[in-house]
Amino acid sequence: MQNNRICQILGIEKPVIQGPLSWLTDARLVAAVSNAGGLGVLGPNAGLTVETEVSTPEETAEKMREEIRKTKMLTEKPFGVNLIPTPENDVWTPSIMQVIKEEGVKVVVYTGYGEGAVIPALFDELKNAGISIIYRDINPTPENTRLAEAAGADIIVATGFDEGGTLPGKALGTFSIVPLIADAVQNVPVLAAGGITDRRTARAAHALGASGVFAGSIFISTEESRVPQSVKDKIIDSDGLDMLLFRTMPDYYRSLPGKLAQKLVQMDKAGASNEELGKTMGGLRGLRIGMLEGNTDDGYISLGTGIGSIRNVKSVAEVVDELAI
């Protein structure tokens, strides 16, 4: 795919980017995606299995360094690291940035949350280090798209409400948000995210104006994924109609059925605040318990609505080939 702009910018063969997926990523999965021709991305807590009671920014960054080095032992292809900067009191990003630069990582997925998420000085630091920026705003709009492009983003992700994980505050589906964002950019290509799990949905993303896909749920069910077989079986046996939707911080989340997820839905219907729901949900701790331990009594299994097309466990290479149209 020599003429694809995503491939040209990132130095990859196929315009398929694996979403960061937090705890669910590790060197094996990320390297497999990159070796298959796509771009693997290490998320927060990549490779870890337990929470650290007290971790300084420097300690957290060193754990990421370890996983980066493990990934480099498994692939010579480009891969990325997730950054989630905040405009104020961000003690984590500087340490992670230092490791990213020292280890020669060439791509960052820059996740933006809320007003002020586009930090020009950070964009400049990344660009000066020769690092390509994939900008993914949790609430993509034409306005923040243009801000990110002006700041130096190389690629923009248009995330629809069909995705898994932290959902946009605007319940705008992938079919609506992708053309809106594709029309808003001036010179950079767009990745489509949300509900893309097979060749049909990948083709639809390209037809809507995307130059590639940004996918998460489909990689969770692969052979190389670190989630237990019990979670993979639940994905294979479910579809989007099984997902439970509830409010939380900052806006919405969804999960396959389980004791915790059902409790959150009941709390939501009873009028609990987003803050109360977020506290009960347990943030990414709940994801680790539900998806790494397979415990849906105390955790949750977050996925996109496109899981109905996932009918068996495939290799990462098979998934990348199917999504690379």
Side-chain angles (χ1 to χ4, degrees), residues 57-86:
E58 292 76 18
E59 289 169 338
T60 299
E62 287 305 312
K63 288 171 184 173
M64 179 58 74
R65 189 194 300 276
E66 291 176 16
E67 208 62 25
I68 289 171
R69 290 183 174 179
K70 289 178 185 177
T71 306
K72 288 195 286 189
M73 291 177 66
L74 297 174
T75 185
E76 296 180 352
K77 303 285 185 68
F79 63 92
V81 170
N82 188 205
L83 276 185
I84 312 176
T86 55

Side-chain angles (χ1 to χ4, degrees), residues 83-214:
L83 276 185
I84 312 176
T86 55
E88 297 179 2
N89 303 318
D90 187 355
V91 298
W92 304 100
T93 299
S95 296
I96 294 288
M97 271 293 301
Q98 189 65 29
V99 167
I100 288 170
K101 289 190 287 187
E102 289 173 355
E103 294 298 324
V105 175
K106 293 302 181 185
V107 184
V108 155
V109 173
Y110 182 130
T111 303
Y113 279 87
E115 189 176 348
V118 175
I119 305 169
L122 182 54
F123 275 73
D124 290 344
E125 183 179 358
L126 289 162
K127 301 302 288 184
N128 290 337
I131 298 170
S132 298
I133 303 168
I134 301 173
Y135 183 76
R136 178 176 179 255
D137 204 288
I138 292 299
N139 288 290
T141 66
E143 292 74 22
N144 59 38
T145 292
R146 286 190 281 266
L147 281 173
E149 183 177 14
D154 296 284
I155 298 166
I156 300 290
V157 182
T159 302
F161 201 69
D162 310 78
E163 72 154 344
T166 303
L167 300 178
K170 299 287 186 183
L172 210 59
T174 304
F175 261 56
S176 299
I177 198 65
V178 172
L180 186 65
I181 299 306
D183 289 347
V185 299
Q186 299 297 312
N187 298 300
V188 301
V190 170
L191 289 164
I196 300 167
T197 50
D198 62 4
R199 191 175 301 276
R200 294 172 298 176
T201 45
R203 283 176 175 160
H206 283 263
L208 292 166
S211 298
V213 299
F214 187 95

